[in-house]
Amino acid sequence: MSEDKNNNILEKVTTEDYKYGFYSDIEMDTAPKGLNEDIVRFISAKKNEPEWLLEFRLKAFRYWQKMEEPDWALINYPPIDYQDIIYYAAPKKKKELESLDEVDPELLDTFNKLGISLDEQKMLAGVAVDAVIDSVSVKTTFQDTLAKHDIIFCSFSEAVQNHPELVKKYLASVVPITDNYFAALNSAVFSDGSFCYIPKGVRCPIELSTYFRINAANTGQFERTLLVGDVGSYVSYLEGCTAPMRDENQLHAAVVEIVALEDAEVKYSTVQNWYPGNKEGKGGVYNFVTKRGLCKGNNSKISWTQVETGSAITWKYPSCVLQGDNSKGEFYSVAVTNNHQQADTGSKMIHQGKNTKSTIISKGISAGKSNNSYRGLVRVARGAENARNFSQCDSLLLGDKCGAHTFPYIKSANETAIIEHEATTSKISEDQLFYCQQRGIDTEKAIGLIVNGYAKEVLNKLPMEFAVEAQKLLAITLEGSVG
Amino acid sequence: MLLNIKNLHVAIDGKEILKGLNLGVNKGELHAIMGPNGTGKSTLAAAITGREGYEITQGEILYDGEVINEMAPDERANKGIFLSFQYPVEIPGVSMTNFMRTAINAQREFNGQPPIPAGEFLKKMEEKKKLVDIHSKLTNRSVNEGFSGGEKKKNEIFQMAMLEPKLAILDETDSGLDIDALKVVAKGVNELRSEDNAFIVITHYQRLLEYIVPDFVHVIYDGQIVKSGGKGLALELEEKGYDWITEKIEA
């Protein structure tokens, strides 16, 4: 009897708990602050995810709880209170503005300096786009082109619903949930992101950039991107935007995974310009990103190009695992830090297959009181006969209050490997500045010119339209950094 | 008077280099500044162009009737003062073409003009390259990167031709040049001479002045102009050296 009673109470409590738990409260737009299993379940339910994905998230969450935040990077920040963060908020419809007149003039000024077209300015600033421009028709044109080639390019959530077999097959196949603290966190709570699949033998006829840019406004805090290049395919993908992104979320922990099968080539370019905080170092985005590509098939190639100018903290090491024989990995990076920004970024090249080649070209630029570190690992496995790596890490200092650091790690288990590493640190010289000034070019323009010259090798790897904007972006980022 | 330097005292790190120098330059004139090493020739060029670290402690520099003692170097440049550097610096990754276009557009912006149209710019480049016999491929390279000594100096004269200054200062442009390159540089300078501009040619040797004939020759010694004369003075210096002047002063 008493046992029955107990059972009843137990049942009641659990049912009630269930009744008032998050499951029943699916109408809520925003999860309460904090992170626990219920929140993970809530996110999954909100997205109407299949059971396996919920299990994936839960597994990641349980693992994350046992992990410790890494502290090996050369960055300083106050402890992050993970229970003080909202992990799910339905995409809010931003208040549409009537015209560009209502937009923050400072933002418009930057748009103009970047040379962004009026139509795009409107889209980025959230101004209602009139029928003549019609971004919807632009998108449709893109979608038609992609559909013609059977290319899948959609949000991650859509992919989970429409292509679950592909997502299931490749998700976490490059970055396992146990990989690192931030990847585990992302796996548990990722909001949304992009999914892209290029079928066998298809060469994606368009840069997946313009399209992306139009959609870039609603990127989440915990973005998840998965890109699969099937046998013999090619795609060039651009993430991000040169336009300054004002974001309320301080912590960003994204995961990007790329899989390149045999003979496939994936080119991934990033322009990151999140809010860096103010001149005194207040505010700004903490950007902890895990990006990794797997050259799974023979003769495959993955190329990362990044221009990093934003964020208060950047912790990011786009990497390539060169599994297939004759596969190639490339990393081209320009990282600029100004004021109080801190960047610890670089690349990892893991050589596993035979005759694998990798190239790392990293250009760090530090100004103000910022700190800029290159951290890289080149590892050659025992079986990776004739692996080759060339790394070049250059640092450019503007002023004498900033820092540049290089941490290259090399681990080779195969004696046929050839690994080269070059590093330089230089300053913009008074002579160079005076030479420019003597030709009528003022100090700020001169710095822009010299810095762009210094970063040219990397900027040249960007898709044309973005190369031009990125050049302007470098100059703007360094405005007022000298003199 | 285009340039009027009155009682100019210039110090570097507190050490006085120029000690009350006077010099007047009119449009249409070419002045040669000569003198032994370490007497202040290059300091004069740096002071006129506004290089940092060269502190004017006394006196003034008037350019086009305006005191420019405190003016920023780029503003002086945009007002028509050009320096052909003794040691032109390299700027990796910046093509000569891009550099030149940036410079010309800075000047145009200063004068309230729109940027130069691409076609016009390229035509001008071609025209001026011929003047100093510069290879087309040089302008595709980064500024001064991998240029030989002669090419660097030709490149300075090329930039001068592009920017069409009112006052051009050539700082030891002849140093390190073989006779052929020297002739090319001289030819370039002579073609650019006009009634509307003026030149100050700083040189250690008389050699350059055989090809670029000066209207006036000045000798700097210990931070002052101690002797001025016509082109004949250069020949006299070549023959007798500087000692006869410096000894007279020391005595």
Side-chain angles (χ1 to χ4, degrees):
Chain A
M1 184 67 189
S2 72
E3 204 179 312
D4 265 349
K5 201 184 167 191
N6 276 348
N7 276 345
N8 276 344
I9 293 169
L10 199 63
E11 200 185 299
K12 202 176 173 213
V13 169
T14 44
T15 338
E16 269 181 7
D17 215 1
Y18 197 70
K19 192 173 152 195
Y20 301 109
F22 295 112
Y23 274 106
S24 58
D25 211 0
I26 197 88
E27 304 306 317
M28 264 170 60
D29 267 351
T30 305
K33 267 185 189 175
L35 185 54
N36 53 47
E37 286 207 6
D38 282 338
I39 295 281
V40 175
R41 288 175 194 279
F42 174 79
I43 294 170
S44 191
K46 266 290 185 191
K47 296 182 155 296
N48 196 23
E49 286 175 351
E51 187 64 26
W52 65 265
L53 195 51
L54 171 63
E55 285 308 315
F56 172 88
R57 287 179 183 274
L58 287 172
K59 212 171 131 191
F61 173 71
R62 287 167 196 150
Y63 195 85
W64 176 76
Q65 280 184 302
K66 291 184 218 140
M67 295 175 94
E68 275 184 28
E69 202 173 322
D71 61 357
W72 42 261
L74 198 65
I75 46 179
N76 282 305
Y77 53 93
I80 299 168
D81 183 354
Y82 291 91
Q83 297 304 335
D84 194 37
I85 292 171
I86 293 169
Y87 288 86
Y88 181 86
K92 262 182 247 155
K93 233 188 131 88
K94 278 187 195 158
K95 190 185 139 232
E96 286 216 329
L97 305 173
E98 291 292 316
S99 76
L100 279 177
D101 298 341
E102 296 174 34
V103 177
D104 179 1
E106 200 188 321
L107 193 65
L108 285 187
D109 189 40
T110 312
F111 282 154
N112 286 329
K113 282 183 190 164
L114 287 167
I116 290 171
S117 77
L118 268 185
D119 296 350
E120 268 192 295
Q121 290 192 16
K122 287 183 181 172
M123 279 185 278
L124 292 165
V127 173
V129 179
D130 59 323
V132 187
I133 305 155
D134 194 6
S135 66
V136 178
S137 77
V138 178
K139 278 189 212 170
T140 315
T141 315
F142 277 120
Q143 286 296 14
D144 285 350
T145 311
L146 296 176
K148 213 161 68 193
H149 293 87
D150 294 322
I151 293 167
I152 304 167
F153 186 45
C154 59
S155 75
F156 198 89
S157 308
E158 282 173 85
V160 168
Q161 301 303 326
N162 302 330
H163 309 281
E165 69 299 336
L166 282 173
V167 176
K168 200 173 175 181
K169 185 171 175 188
Y170 292 109
L171 180 67
S173 69
V174 186
V175 180
I177 53 173
T178 53
D179 191 80
N180 68 71
Y181 189 78
F182 298 106
L185 177 65
N186 175 286
S187 300
V189 300
F190 66 85
S191 32
D192 209 339
S194 303
F195 177 81
C196 178
Y197 173 79
I198 315 290
K200 261 182 204 167
V202 170
R203 222 187 133 79
C204 183
I206 45 176
E207 298 264 359
L208 292 184
S209 59
T210 318
Y211 177 94
F212 195 89
R213 219 145 82 122
I214 293 166
N215 288 283
N218 283 323
T219 49
Q221 192 177 3
F222 301 101
E223 218 180 326
R224 187 91 195 189
T225 302
L226 179 55
L227 233 148
V228 180
D230 210 327
V231 176
S233 65
Y234 167 85
V235 66
S236 168
Y237 187 95
L238 192 124
E239 164 209 44
C241 189
T242 50
M245 284 299 194
R246 297 281 164 96
D247 195 290
E248 299 303 315
N249 301 318
Q250 191 166 41
L251 175 68
H252 280 244
V255 171
V256 176
E257 294 179 278
I258 300 176
V259 180
L261 301 183
E262 202 169 323
D263 296 316
E265 181 178 347
V266 178
K267 204 172 159 277
Y268 194 105
S269 314
T270 307
V271 175
Q272 186 265 118
N273 187 23
W274 298 101
Y275 182 52
N278 68 10
K279 285 204 166 73
E280 284 72 47
K282 274 194 86 172
V285 167
Y286 295 177
N287 197 19
F288 296 94
V289 189
T290 306
K291 290 186 166 183
R292 194 172 307 153
L294 173 63
C295 284
K296 200 174 164 76
N298 293 345
N299 314 311
S300 55
K301 181 177 171 186
I302 291 175
S303 174
W304 299 100
T305 305
Q306 62 172 23
V307 175
E308 302 282 319
T309 60
S311 296
I313 287 174
T314 301
W315 180 98
K316 182 177 173 187
Y317 316 91
S319 308
C320 297
V321 179
L322 305 170
Q323 205 175 72
D325 290 347
N326 313 310
S327 60
K328 278 188 193 145
E330 292 174 344
F331 173 74
Y332 302 98
S333 168
V334 176
V336 187
T337 51
N338 197 359
N339 300 319
H340 290 266
Q341 281 178 282
Q342 307 174 65
D344 195 298
T345 181
S347 182
K348 286 192 275 186
M349 292 292 173
I350 313 297
H351 292 256
Q352 295 174 345
K354 295 185 176 72
N355 308 312
T356 45
K357 279 202 181 101
S358 63
T359 307
I360 294 174
I361 308 283
S362 162
K363 304 265 182 183
I365 300 157
S366 340
K369 292 175 180 160
S370 67
N371 258 310
N372 202 327
S373 306
Y374 168 82
R375 187 182 304 275
L377 168 68
V378 176
R379 195 164 76 203
V380 178
R382 192 166 302 162
E385 293 288 315
N386 302 315
R388 284 223 53 172
N389 161 267
F390 174 75
S391 301
Q392 186 185 325
C393 308
D394 297 331
S395 310
L396 185 68
L397 298 167
L398 280 76
D400 50 14
K401 292 187 180 69
C402 50
H405 318 269
T406 308
F407 305 98
Y409 303 92
I410 296 170
K411 288 176 186 165
S412 178
N414 188 307
E415 54 187 22
T416 62
I418 299 173
I419 297 165
E420 286 174 83
H421 181 93
E422 289 177 10
T424 65
T425 301
S426 50
K427 274 187 145 185
I428 286 192
S429 72
E430 297 275 324
D431 285 351
Q432 284 175 328
L433 277 180
F434 181 65
Y435 194 77
C436 293
Q437 284 179 295
Q438 214 304 303
R439 299 302 183 247
I441 303 165
D442 66 45
T443 316
E444 294 212 327
K445 276 205 196 90
I447 289 171
L449 198 68
I450 295 166
V451 164
N452 273 304
Y454 164 80
K456 196 179 184 182
E457 216 178 329
V458 173
L459 296 177
N460 280 347
K461 300 287 174 186
L462 285 175
M464 184 60 194
E465 53 187 305
F466 284 99
V468 177
E469 283 181 21
Q471 280 179 26
K472 292 179 189 159
L473 182 61
L474 290 190
I476 293 171
T477 309
L478 292 170
E479 263 179 16
S481 58
V482 165
Chain B
M1 203 177 278
L2 183 62
L3 180 74
N4 192 1
I5 298 177
K6 295 192 237 173
N7 187 33
L8 186 66
H9 291 251
V10 174
I12 308 170
D13 292 331
K15 187 175 181 255
E16 194 166 61
I17 308 290
L18 294 185
K19 303 168 181 174
L21 185 139
N22 295 291
L23 178 68
V25 177
N26 289 304
K27 279 184 183 172
E29 293 175 351
L30 192 146
H31 292 243
I33 308 276
M34 302 183 73
N37 284 330
T39 50
K41 298 196 296 292
S42 289
T43 301
L44 175 63
I48 298 171
T49 50
R51 183 157 200 157
E52 220 179 280
Y54 291 76
E55 195 199 341
I56 297 178
T57 51
Q58 235 191 95
E60 56 188 21
I61 304 172
L62 278 123
Y63 172 74
D64 235 355
E66 188 183 0
V67 177
I68 59 166
N69 285 21
E70 300 296 327
M71 193 183 281
D74 46 295
E75 196 179 340
R76 298 185 202 206
N78 284 323
K79 288 193 172 198
I81 300 178
F82 180 91
L83 173 65
S84 166
F85 283 73
Q86 184 177 4
Y87 304 109
V89 293
E90 298 179 0
I91 309 178
V94 179
S95 73
M96 249 338 276
T97 308
N98 186 16
F99 182 69
M100 224 49 261
R101 206 184 49 195
T102 308
I104 284 197
N105 283 337
Q107 195 183 57
R108 289 174 70 109
E109 193 184 333
F110 186 81
N111 294 321
Q113 294 168 302
I116 190 167
E120 193 184 316
F121 173 73
L122 291 173
K123 214 175 114 196
K124 190 168 182 172
M125 289 267 290
E126 285 313 308
E127 199 182 298
K128 304 298 183 186
K129 270 192 274 189
K130 278 189 203 128
L131 188 74
V132 282
D133 193 21
I134 267 190
H135 273 292
S136 274
K137 59 178 187 213
L138 276 192
T139 46
N140 293 329
R141 278 203 228 150
S142 298
V143 177
N144 292 319
E145 203 177 46
F147 286 34
S148 71
E151 282 167 344
K152 280 184 183 169
K153 295 299 174 75
K154 281 189 202 172
N155 190 25
E156 293 293 294
I157 304 304
F158 163 70
Q159 292 178 50
M160 181 171 84
M162 288 294 288
L163 293 168
E164 302 170 42
K166 280 197 264 184
L167 174 68
I169 304 161
L170 278 59
D171 189 6
E172 307 257 0
T173 299
D174 51 336
S175 69
L177 284 192
D178 62 35
I179 192 72
D180 291 331
L182 188 79
K183 280 180 182 170
V184 171
V185 164
K187 184 181 136 248
V189 171
N190 287 329
E191 281 189 35
L192 293 170
R193 283 176 78 167
S194 81
E195 284 308 306
D196 295 319
N197 61 25
F199 285 81
I200 296 174
V201 177
I202 295 171
T203 180
H204 189 65
Y205 302 104
Q206 190 268 342
R207 190 177 68 151
L208 179 67
L209 304 179
E210 281 174 31
Y211 302 96
I212 302 174
V213 182
D215 300 304
F216 301 95
V217 175
H218 310 277
V219 178
I220 290 195
Y221 184 71
D222 195 25
Q224 288 184 332
I225 288 181
V226 293
K227 194 166 178 62
S228 297
K231 62 183 174 188
L233 179 57
L235 288 169
E236 210 176 336
L237 288 167
E238 179 79 0
E239 218 173 281
K240 303 196 213 163
Y242 290 109
D243 291 351
W244 62 282
I245 296 176
T246 57
E247 273 163 20
K248 215 158 43 182
I249 293 159
E250 304 283 342

